[in-house]
Amino acid sequence: MSNLTKEFRGGLLENIHPGRICIVGEDKTITHHVGEINTLTYYRSSSKPLQVLPVIENHIDEKYNLNENEVAIMAGSHAGEAIHLETILSILDKTGYSENDLIMQPTYPAVAALHDEMIRKNLPPRKALHNCSGKHIGAMLLSEYLTGDHKNYWQPDSAAQKRIRETIAYLSEYPIDQIQIGIDGCGVPVFAVPLKNIALSYLKLACPDQIDHSDTRNAVIRITDLMHKNPVMVRGTGYLCSIMNEDPNIVSKGGAKGVYAFGLVKERLGVAIKIKDGTEEPWPVVIAEILRQLNYDNLDTIHKLEALCPSEILNDNGVVVGKIETCFKL
């Protein structure tokens, strides 16, 4: 495990974030890496753009006349903004599902101001505000398509989860019987493959011509197009995933516990990152540094990332009290 970033305060090294990086080229070989890349790593929510593919492949979204936002949010981890709640409730209305059919616990929006507003108004949390609600509805739709029943969508041995696992195995090129299965925070299965295979799957999201199966290839083209057209559905206003997908050359999605993956279209590269301590704070500075070392030509995207995690650490009074440095070489 190599160090990716260091944080200094008053000249003293205060925090170190070790991690791993793997970059895969269009010939599916490793072009760059930092640290061990063969360790099994849970996709966490980075798998969401893959998990929605069977829904699109089988035209289930068309059956219910789902609009672009409603399909895109199934690939996202929404922050609970008004547009997100409206979109989730609209899907439930079109499908005839109940919010109570979702198995996760009710929650409040990730956006602090909206969270506080609900608390002030004594409004209860709700399942539709959970960041994974779009993914869950996608699995419900797939389960109903495959079995006629949408309510057991979350079970690891259900038809829907088996089909999702097949998709992940196919795009990551990892044997399905070797995929490690855990349970995610929201209650559905989560899948682990080596970090290099996560990178490989994102190469294919960015470069769908690498995909032999035409239905899967067309589904990838559709979902990545919707992620680019509706980046706020991938996470929310001003958030990393939405900023990344605003760039039409990038397909990206983060997951819990420090996992982040993205593909570069023109460069034909897939990238996967794992911050060992599970924090998400260093993501923007690590991704910006990766893009700089790759000589990425869209400096506007790099500058937006750096604005999310400035190199200068400010205290509450706006005074510079330290700095964040990257310390890896691809």
Side-chain angles (χ1 to χ4, degrees):
M1 188 73 65
S2 301
N3 293 330
L4 301 184
T5 66
K6 295 180 179 180
E7 298 180 19
F8 297 86
R9 185 175 297 264
L12 177 69
L13 177 59
E14 185 176 37
N15 294 305
I16 298 174
H17 295 294
R20 300 177 277 125
I21 301 170
C22 182
I23 304 180
V24 176
E26 65 175 322
D27 61 357
K28 303 181 183 180
T29 61
I30 310 303
T31 62
H32 307 81
H33 74 93
V34 176
E36 171 56 46
I37 60 174
N38 292 306
T39 303
L40 285 174
T41 305
Y42 282 120
Y43 269 92
R44 303 301 293 259
S45 286
S46 292
S47 69
K48 287 179 177 176
L50 283 69
Q51 293 202 46
V52 72
L53 294 176
V55 174
I56 300 172
E57 288 181 65
N58 292 291
H59 307 284
I60 304 171
D61 56 316
E62 297 174 12
K63 174 183 175 181
Y64 291 97
N65 195 31
L66 301 186
N67 63 35
E68 291 188 354
N69 278 353
E70 291 164 350
V71 179
I73 204 168
M74 294 182 191
S77 299
H78 72 79
E81 297 177 40
I83 185 63
H84 298 139
L85 180 58
E86 175 187 326
T87 300
I88 292 296
L89 295 180
S90 176
I91 304 173
L92 291 172
D93 180 63
K94 289 180 178 181
T95 57
Y97 299 156
S98 165
E99 190 171 346
N100 288 329
D101 291 336
L102 300 167
I103 65 153
M104 78 283 283
Q105 291 299 304
T107 188
Y108 290 100
V111 180
L114 297 176
H115 173 280
D116 294 347
E117 181 182 7
M118 288 186 68
I119 297 295
R120 285 196 305 270
K121 293 181 177 180
N122 199 30
L123 296 173
R126 57 190 305 176
K127 294 183 176 185
L129 289 171
H130 195 288
N131 78 90
C132 293
S133 55
K135 175 184 71 176
H136 281 242
I137 296 174
M140 291 164 69
L141 287 167
L142 181 60
S143 178
E144 182 177 8
Y145 172 81
L146 294 172
T147 69
D149 177 17
H150 68 276
K151 292 189 176 181
N152 73 339
Y153 73 92
W154 54 275
Q155 296 175 353
D157 61 350
S158 68
Q161 294 300 329
K162 288 179 179 178
R163 181 67 186 88
I164 288 169
R165 190 158 69 249
E166 289 170 358
T167 299
I168 289 174
Y170 176 61
L171 288 176
S172 66
E173 297 189 16
Y174 194 68
I176 192 168
D177 60 347
Q178 295 182 34
I179 294 177
Q180 182 78 36
I181 301 175
I183 301 300
D184 215 335
C186 61
V188 296
V190 61
F191 311 99
V193 302
L195 191 69
K196 65 181 181 182
N197 296 82
I198 296 178
L200 178 57
S201 67
Y202 269 78
L203 166 69
K204 294 178 180 178
L205 292 182
C207 305
D209 59 285
Q210 295 268 346
I211 302 170
D212 292 332
H213 193 283
S214 61
D215 288 344
T216 304
R217 181 171 63 248
N218 290 334
V220 166
I221 292 170
R222 176 159 166 73
I223 194 58
T224 56
D225 178 61
L226 294 181
M227 291 168 71
H228 286 140
K229 288 180 177 178
N230 310 278
V232 74
M233 290 295 151
V234 183
R235 180 54 176 163
T237 306
Y239 284 88
L240 173 61
C241 280
S242 294
I243 289 173
M244 289 282 280
N245 285 289
E246 286 174 1
D247 186 332
N249 192 58
I250 297 176
V251 180
S252 81
K253 183 69 186 70
K257 299 302 179 183
V259 178
Y260 205 92
F262 62 95
L264 298 176
V265 178
K266 290 188 302 183
E267 294 78 4
R268 300 182 69 78
L269 296 172
V271 183
I273 304 162
K274 167 65 176 176
I275 308 296
K276 184 180 181 182
D277 59 16
T279 185
E280 301 173 9
E281 183 180 349
W283 278 348
V285 68
V286 170
I287 296 168
E289 180 62 19
I290 290 172
L291 294 176
R292 284 193 181 279
Q293 291 192 31
L294 292 175
N295 297 314
Y296 192 62
D297 60 7
N298 190 340
L299 295 181
D300 183 57
T301 294
I302 293 176
H303 293 156
K304 288 178 179 178
L305 297 176
E306 292 173 335
L308 289 178
C309 186
S311 59
E312 293 184 331
I313 298 174
L314 306 180
N315 69 5
D316 293 344
N317 297 321
V319 177
V320 177
V321 295
K323 63 180 179 179
I324 301 174
E325 294 181 351
T326 56
C327 50
F328 64 88
K329 178 67 176 176
L330 295 177

